[in-house]
Amino acid sequence: MTTLDALLPTAEPLGLIDAEGNALGGDLPPDEILLELYRRMVVGRRFDAQATALTKQGRLAVYPSSRGQEACQIGAVLAMREQDWLFPTYRDSVAIVSRAVPPAEVLSLLRGEWHCGYDPHAHRVAPQCTPLATNTLHAVGLAHAARLKGEDTVAVVLLGDGATSEGDTHEALNFAAVWKAPVVFLVQNNGYAISVPLSKQTAAPSLAYKGVGYGMRSMLVDGNDAAMVYTAVKQAIASDGPTLIEALTYRIEAHTNADDATRYRPSDEVQRWLGRDPIARLETYLRARRLLDDAAAERLTAEAEERAAAVREEMNRDVEVDPAELFAHVYATPTPALVAQRKELES
Amino acid sequence: MTEPVSMAGALNAALADALSDDPRVLVFGEDVGALGGVFRITDGLAAKFGDERVFDTPLAESGIVGTAIGMAMNGLVPVVEMQFDAFAYPAFEQITSHLAKLRNRTRGRVGLPVVVRVPYGGGIGGVEHHSDSSEAYYTHTPGLRVVTPGTPADAYRLLRQAIACPDPVIFLEPKRRYWAKETAVLSADGPAIDRAVVRRTGNDVTLIAYGGTVATALEAAEAAVEEDWDVEVVDLRSLSPFDDETVTASVRRTGRVVVVHEASRFTGYGAEVVARLQEQCFHYLQAPILRVAGLDIPYPPPKLEQHHLPTVDRILDAVARLQWDDNA
Ligand SMILES: Cc1ncc(C[n+]2csc(CCOP(=O)(O)OP(=O)(O)O)c2C)c(N)n1
Ligand SMILES: [Mg+2]
């Protein structure tokens, strides 16, 4: 029996670099990792802004921005090994792009296509999941199968604070704990589920406590501290069995481009969180350590611009959609009735 | 010598043979381990194949199907048990939003060869929530195959075929037929997973049945001999996809049809059967197609279930109403 103390999260969120860019004294990842976290966050934020812009031009049906949550998006992905699997949600396009999935493929679904765009097996990234919390169970199943097959694979599943209220989250935490499945549940607590604040979502002092009841090691971390998220996920991947990590962060933009966040949250709250920005604090830290200078920062901005331009160009190209393909993958082999419907559509 | 085998025994043998033949096959669910399932369908399997291949899960149906999906993504072939029809409903979201759709959402790159076994239907004196005919919920979902056996030999064949199938299969087991025996050689060969079969040939009328009503329809066909009706019985086996070829061939020959199922009549599976047949066989029909189905009520208590379930008498009454006189 594991002792309760070993499972409990800390009362205060763990952190390595504070909002002002000061190191807090813990073991920091190596400098090249810190630089890579920074680089990917800058590139990721630019991608995110580009995707939002594409909705205004009618090139994307909808886009849920993760601006402000880059430390979670990038920290988790950089901590993952090649053999691990990512189970993302609609919010996590930046994480998926960071796992080297081509951006135009990542945006397929949001541009209104009928499929997820990328090959999940090629990148070890499940399709972006919209039915909340359902992906948690897929992650547990995949990880348990890996264990049965003797593979060293960990599943990292991303979910939001709202999703922790869904039944599937609880079934997944329980199954993972009972099976000792190698799963990392990373809860990006951004304070809102669309318009509903955390206070209406839970009475628990921390979402991390939800793991403890199932016998799972749980952590509470500063979710705007990329070094911390990276370290926590890396530790969780290296440890036996599952871990629940609650990362405290904030969604700077509205829920999606179609949402109006001024209806449910005060602007001074947004201002406060802008002061806790994950990119600015790491930049301050890196500059103070002279790991980053103006020239390097400019090169990085140029790189991010270049990548965004490539996304823009690709997304501005019209894709041919063939309605006949709608029938191709419903079953492994199209049924006679589907073949007949396809022919009807074609004629 | 072939021994008589029950449907429960045939299903058990199918699981055992699939576990033996394919190391990717796993069997899990509630009480399927040491107990062998509440209906004993998995009896002895955990002892024989070990608890990494046959195991009890925590008590949560969405969890069972959701984790089966993840396991299938990682190359395994899960065969999961839902304890009863109505207790599969917590898994409905996983089944309809993911199990049915992942192949399509990934453009064919991630197929899910998962079998969800569901003991279904009434006739065993079950208390409430233990007798639902839930087939239409699943057949209405593109991407799922839905099959149901009517005989022990077919239970073996269909389950082996379902486990070998690259698509997700909802495997509905008519629990009131679990213990009926048949002398048969168990084999996966024979009609394919998506084919209906003619269980009894006849020239005057086609009874279309599946699962628990196949035996009732066959009984009715025998009783009809006395009335001089030569009755054909088609066992659908595959509810989705629907075998139009076999069924329409029978209907075009007989010109008269009664569809028999336990599920409530209103928007029940029979409605689709009737619609397809009038679309495809209108000019061959001698009479409107009738349905003998469950009443449009929540499943009744044990003492009253005989009023709900299709009986031989109700089937014969329907056959009698097929406008024979108009033709005389
Ligand atoms: C089962 C289900 N119910 C409702 C929705 C509609 N919906 C989409 S996102 C969302 C809020 C989710 O909030 P949270 O889990 O905190 O994630 P966030 O959007 O903040 O990243 C809701 C209610 C859904 N996608 N799935
Ligand atoms: Mg949220």
Side-chain angles (χ1 to χ4, degrees):
Chain A
M1 205 49 204
T2 334
T3 62
L4 184 59
D5 283 349
L7 305 179
L8 277 171
T10 47
E12 292 299 315
L14 297 170
L16 290 169
I17 297 177
D18 70 12
E20 283 71 46
N22 304 310
L24 292 166
D27 281 342
L28 279 165
D31 292 345
E32 63 270 20
I33 294 290
L34 294 174
L35 278 166
E36 184 62 9
L37 286 167
Y38 178 70
R39 190 187 76 79
R40 290 197 192 197
M41 287 199 292
V42 170
V43 169
R45 179 168 292 183
R46 184 64 190 87
F47 165 84
D48 192 79
Q50 183 59 58
T52 296
L54 285 164
T55 62
K56 302 201 170 95
Q57 295 147 20
R59 286 286 168 183
L60 284 185
V62 66
Y63 182 73
S65 166
S66 62
R67 183 158 170 240
Q69 299 182 211
E70 291 87 354
C72 291
Q73 299 280 303
I74 302 302
V77 168
L78 196 60
M80 289 173 68
R81 306 160 303 170
E82 196 184 331
Q83 70 264 35
D84 298 328
W85 268 80
L86 181 68
F87 286 81
T89 73
Y90 52 88
R91 175 81 56 214
D92 306 311
S93 296
V94 167
I96 305 170
V97 170
S98 188
R99 192 141 166 96
V101 181
E105 291 184 14
V106 179
L107 295 175
S108 296
L109 201 72
L110 298 171
R111 109 201 283 193
E113 291 193 55
W114 52 272
H115 56 79
C116 75
Y118 48 88
D119 179 354
H121 285 295
H123 305 281
R124 298 193 162 234
V125 179
Q128 283 180 284
C129 187
T130 307
L132 294 170
T134 53
N135 58 335
T136 57
L137 285 163
H138 308 160
V140 175
L142 185 130
H144 185 59
R147 235 175 64 116
L148 292 175
K149 292 161 72 180
E151 296 166 357
D152 176 22
T153 295
V154 173
V156 177
V157 57
L158 305 178
L159 64 155
D161 45 299
T164 65
S165 297
E166 291 278 3
D168 275 5
T169 301
H170 296 264
E171 297 191 19
L173 292 170
N174 189 43
F175 274 58
V178 171
W179 288 350
K180 300 183 174 54
V183 183
V184 182
F185 296 87
L186 180 62
V187 179
Q188 297 178 80
N189 177 359
N190 62 11
Y192 290 88
I194 308 185
S195 66
V196 179
L198 188 69
S199 59
K200 292 186 180 172
Q201 210 63 249
T202 183
S206 152
L207 296 174
Y209 281 88
K210 292 179 189 261
V212 180
Y214 296 106
M216 185 181 302
R217 181 179 50 243
S218 305
M219 300 174 76
L220 174 63
V221 304
D222 179 347
N224 278 13
D225 177 353
M228 186 63 234
V229 176
Y230 168 86
T231 302
V233 173
K234 202 170 164 66
Q235 271 174 13
I237 287 173
S239 65
D240 283 334
T243 307
L244 170 64
I245 302 170
E246 177 189 5
L248 299 176
T249 182
Y250 195 79
R251 190 193 77 208
I252 297 295
E253 298 287 340
H255 174 66
T256 68
N257 55 293
D259 174 43
D260 175 7
T262 62
R263 293 176 69 93
Y264 54 82
R265 65 183 192 186
S267 64
D268 61 335
E269 182 182 283
V270 182
Q271 286 308 313
R272 245 191 346 273
W273 277 93
L274 282 171
R276 304 179 49 81
D277 187 63
I279 297 181
R281 77 169 72 177
L282 189 53
E283 177 166 349
T284 305
Y285 173 83
L286 292 171
R287 282 184 184 271
R289 292 263 330 274
R290 305 205 184 288
L291 293 167
L292 184 77
D293 58 17
D294 287 345
E298 267 166 41
R299 275 198 306 278
L300 184 50
T301 307
E303 181 196 337
E305 281 306 324
E306 213 174 286
R307 284 171 187 258
V311 172
R312 200 162 52 234
E313 196 180 314
E314 197 155 0
M315 298 304 290
N316 278 331
R317 229 176 286 139
D318 288 319
V319 280
E320 289 281 332
V321 280
D322 178 7
E325 215 194 330
L326 290 173
F327 304 93
H329 304 295
V330 182
Y331 297 93
T333 309
T335 61
L338 284 180
V339 172
Q341 284 185 12
R342 190 191 70 212
K343 285 183 181 149
E344 225 173 276
L345 191 80
E346 281 169 344
S347 66
Chain B
M1 265 294 288
T2 44
E3 295 286 317
V5 62
S6 66
M7 186 181 281
L11 292 166
N12 181 267
L15 292 172
D17 291 349
L19 283 158
S20 287
D21 289 357
D22 186 346
R24 299 172 308 156
V25 173
L26 300 179
V27 171
F28 56 95
E30 296 159 9
D31 300 292
V32 303
L35 182 66
V38 293
F39 291 106
R40 305 292 182 270
I41 306 302
T42 58
D43 190 30
L45 298 179
K48 184 160 183 210
F49 295 97
D51 61 7
E52 291 210 330
R53 300 200 54 207
V54 179
F55 51 91
D56 292 327
T57 63
L59 212 169
E61 293 76 13
S62 187
I64 292 168
V65 175
T67 54
I69 289 168
M71 292 186 208
M73 289 176 76
N74 202 353
L76 299 181
V77 179
V79 183
V80 302
E81 177 171 308
M82 299 284 105
Q83 202 154 63
F84 282 88
D85 31 61
F87 306 140
Y89 301 149
F92 197 68
E93 183 184 23
Q94 288 289 348
I95 291 173
T96 52
S97 290
H98 292 295
L99 189 62
K101 294 190 180 124
L102 197 67
R103 174 182 293 282
N104 194 60
R105 288 171 66 220
T106 59
R107 227 174 181 170
R109 285 154 169 159
V110 185
L112 295 175
V114 175
V115 179
V116 181
R117 294 181 36 244
V118 187
Y120 84 118
I124 62 161
V127 293
E128 60 171 349
H129 308 300
H130 290 75
S131 299
D132 280 13
S133 287
S134 41
E135 63 270 28
Y137 302 139
Y138 304 113
T139 56
H140 196 60
T141 304
L144 298 177
R145 286 177 182 272
V146 183
V147 302
T148 178
T151 70
D154 214 28
Y156 179 90
R157 177 181 301 111
L158 265 179
L159 186 50
R160 292 302 304 271
Q161 292 172 338
I163 294 169
C165 181
D167 299 314
V169 181
I170 306 297
F171 192 90
L172 300 172
E173 302 173 0
K175 57 175 102 80
R176 69 181 157 124
R177 304 296 176 202
Y178 269 153
W179 305 283
K181 290 192 174 177
E182 173 185 40
T183 302
V185 181
L186 299 181
S187 164
D189 298 335
I193 187 170
D194 55 358
R195 298 313 294 245
V197 298
V198 175
R199 289 264 170 240
R200 184 188 196 281
T201 53
N203 287 311
D204 297 338
V205 51
T206 300
L207 298 183
I208 299 175
Y210 56 86
T213 59
V214 172
T216 320
L218 286 167
E219 233 183 286
E222 286 307 318
V225 174
E226 266 180 43
E227 312 279 336
D228 254 357
W229 289 316
D230 186 16
V231 176
E232 179 147 306
V233 176
V234 174
D235 173 358
L236 289 179
R237 304 174 77 245
S238 174
L239 304 185
S240 178
F242 184 83
D243 180 1
D244 290 292
E245 196 181 324
T246 303
V247 181
T248 57
S250 171
V251 170
R252 286 181 181 144
R253 222 160 19 73
T254 62
R256 286 185 171 83
V257 187
V258 176
V259 184
V260 188
H261 63 56
E262 278 184 46
S264 296
R265 180 199 314 246
F266 185 74
T267 64
Y269 185 75
E272 174 64 21
V273 178
V274 174
R276 298 183 88 79
L277 291 176
Q278 67 86 12
E279 281 167 5
Q280 296 175 70
C281 307
F282 185 73
H283 292 293
Y284 297 84
L285 292 174
Q286 307 289 325
I289 303 172
L290 297 183
R291 287 173 288 167
V292 175
L295 307 172
D296 294 324
I297 55 169
Y299 197 88
K303 276 187 190 157
L304 297 171
E305 67 180 338
Q306 79 273 16
H307 301 295
H308 181 77
L309 294 170
T311 55
V312 168
D313 284 347
R314 281 175 63 199
I315 295 171
L316 292 177
D317 283 351
V319 171
R321 283 190 282 127
L322 292 172
Q323 302 187 1
W324 302 93
D325 296 341
D326 296 1
N327 224 28

